[in-house]
Amino acid sequence: MRDVLAAADAGDPGARLAFDVYVHRLRREIAAMTASLGGLDAVVFTGGVGEHQPRVRAAAGLAYLGLVVDDRRNAVTGQDADLSVPGSRVRALTVVSREDVVIARQTRRLLAGG
């Protein structure tokens, strides 16, 4: 995503299209899950893009669901945070994924015969 955004900023129309398609699909999948769940309490952004790309989170366009992202809070990357404006019906959160801890725990469990 870093490369796509850098290329889009440099004027590459293909990179801009790639970003637009990515965000469109993000919205589509969140909308589908929201419909299946019958509502939404929070959207959690995690992993490389979710944790480190405020432009993706800002572009997600989820205000229609009651999720409004605060620009100042959204600028924070790489840490657990609440990105929502006060009073937002749906919260936007970033959660550091810590895959390294999960892998270590699973490895320990497997080595112990579990």
Side-chain angles (χ1 to χ4, degrees):
M1 184 55 69
R2 277 188 305 265
D3 293 341
V4 169
L5 288 171
D9 290 344
D12 181 332
R16 183 67 214 173
L17 177 61
F19 179 76
D20 290 345
V21 168
Y22 182 90
V23 171
H24 168 75
R25 290 182 178 168
L26 175 65
R27 280 187 207 125
R28 179 185 69 190
E29 296 307 317
I30 291 171
M33 287 184 273
T34 301
S36 294
L37 293 169
L40 191 63
D41 296 316
V43 173
V44 179
F45 296 95
T46 192
V49 174
E51 291 172 36
H52 300 286
Q53 293 299 334
R55 286 172 60 185
V56 171
R57 298 187 305 249
L62 302 173
Y64 74 97
L65 294 172
L67 185 155
V68 182
V69 173
D70 179 276
D71 292 335
R72 183 185 53 78
R73 290 178 177 187
N74 190 39
V76 174
T77 63
Q79 64 184 15
D80 295 348
D82 185 341
L83 310 174
S84 313
V85 298
S88 185
R89 258 191 12 247
V90 176
R91 293 176 61 196
L93 308 168
T94 56
V95 175
V96 176
S97 58
R98 297 302 312 257
E99 292 103 340
D100 57 333
V101 173
V102 173
I103 291 168
R105 285 181 184 151
Q106 290 178 351
T107 300
R108 186 180 317 149
R109 183 179 53 84
L110 289 172
L111 291 174

